[in-house]
Amino acid sequence: MRRRLASLNLLNLHLPRHPFYGHEGYSGSAYHRKIGWTARLLDRLAADLIGVQEVFAEQALIECVARSRTLRDARVVAAPRAGEGNTLPRVGLISRLPLAAELESIERMPGSASVMLPGAPEIGLDDQAQTLFSRPVLRTSVALGERGRGPVARVYVVHLKPRRPKRLEARDGTGEDLDDPVIEGRAHLRTLLIRAAEAAALRQLLLEDLIGPDTPVIVMGDFN
């Protein structure tokens, strides 16, 4: 029994005319080109299980799969927390394999992995700790055998913090000036801390979640 796995960063997959990261959003024609190109890529992958990243709208992911020849019969197409009004990139899952557990979106890091953010008190932030994953981790289980039988694998899809410096904003909307080299250096320090904390948090989740020696664990995504 062979199963093909893949991970794919979809580079800001969003519905048309929805802004993201300061971009005004895709035009209708640009959106359809992106959907078509992604569907063709999914066909080339022809995988049974695909972890995807940078999904702003679950509906756009559904449309990509609907345009695919090899995955249009997928049992699961989901990007938790990527509903209407979402403003952040999310992770998702495309699966031709049946789920053997609930699809979970884990937002909060284990308490032992949270870190204090340098400089937070100076701009009036009450919450000085990083306690949340930059993008919530997706967790589920899938049945690897035919017709939902056979071994079950635990699956994680992740997208860890990128190298972009972590700028802080105060409650009144004012924020740090990254043109100041001292502040920029501190923002890069925060990023390093958060990246390390997320890696440690993911490790802790995996260790706590190991079901048994015969249960495979699949971790896929963009680890930056």
Side-chain angles (χ1 to χ4, degrees):
M1 176 184 60
R2 291 187 175 183
R3 294 302 185 193
R4 190 168 188 173
L5 313 177
S7 179
L8 183 60
N9 188 314
L10 294 174
L11 189 59
N12 302 322
L13 180 65
H14 211 331
L15 295 169
R17 292 172 289 279
H18 282 68
F20 56 88
Y21 287 149
H23 187 282
E24 63 182 6
Y26 300 116
S27 65
S29 59
Y31 172 74
H32 287 294
R33 288 196 301 272
K34 185 173 181 68
I35 293 295
W37 183 90
T38 303
R40 292 191 295 274
L41 181 58
L42 293 175
D43 287 336
R44 289 177 60 190
L45 291 172
D48 298 293
L49 188 69
I50 305 176
V52 292
Q53 304 88 48
E54 293 200 18
V55 179
F56 279 86
E58 186 178 76
Q59 181 57 40
L61 182 64
I62 292 171
E63 291 183 23
C64 287
V65 174
R67 291 275 294 272
S68 164
R69 291 180 291 101
T70 60
L71 287 168
R72 64 180 58 171
D73 61 344
R75 294 171 179 260
V76 180
V77 182
R81 306 177 69 85
E84 185 175 350
N86 174 55
T87 60
L88 298 172
R90 307 296 185 182
V91 302
L93 187 72
I94 304 169
S95 178
R96 294 197 288 191
L97 307 174
L99 295 190
E102 179 184 358
L103 195 68
E104 302 176 74
S105 182
I106 304 173
E107 183 177 15
R108 187 166 297 277
M109 296 190 292
S112 61
S114 64
V115 291
M116 302 302 292
L117 298 180
E122 296 178 21
I123 66 168
L125 286 183
D126 296 328
D127 187 1
Q128 303 169 25
Q130 179 76 20
T131 60
L132 305 179
F133 284 104
S134 301
R135 289 93 170 182
V137 172
L138 186 152
R139 178 172 64 186
T140 189
S141 295
V142 297
L144 298 175
E146 297 295 334
R147 299 180 181 178
R149 301 172 183 169
V152 171
R154 198 65 159 154
V155 176
Y156 287 81
V157 184
V158 304
H159 189 181
L160 301 185
K161 177 80 172 70
R163 294 181 176 85
R164 187 182 307 112
K166 172 67 174 178
R167 177 178 181 267
L168 295 182
E169 291 189 5
R171 285 169 297 180
D172 62 3
T174 61
E176 294 178 312
D177 178 13
L178 294 189
D179 288 333
D180 183 324
V182 174
I183 292 177
E184 182 190 18
R186 193 163 60 188
H188 280 286
L189 172 60
R190 291 189 201 108
T191 294
L192 290 173
L193 290 171
I194 294 170
R195 284 158 58 84
E198 290 191 352
L202 177 61
R203 180 185 178 90
Q204 184 172 338
L205 286 176
L206 291 171
L207 291 173
E208 291 175 352
D209 199 35
L210 290 178
I211 299 171
D214 297 325
T215 301
V217 176
I218 301 167
V219 185
M220 61 175 73
D222 189 338
F223 296 90
N224 278 307

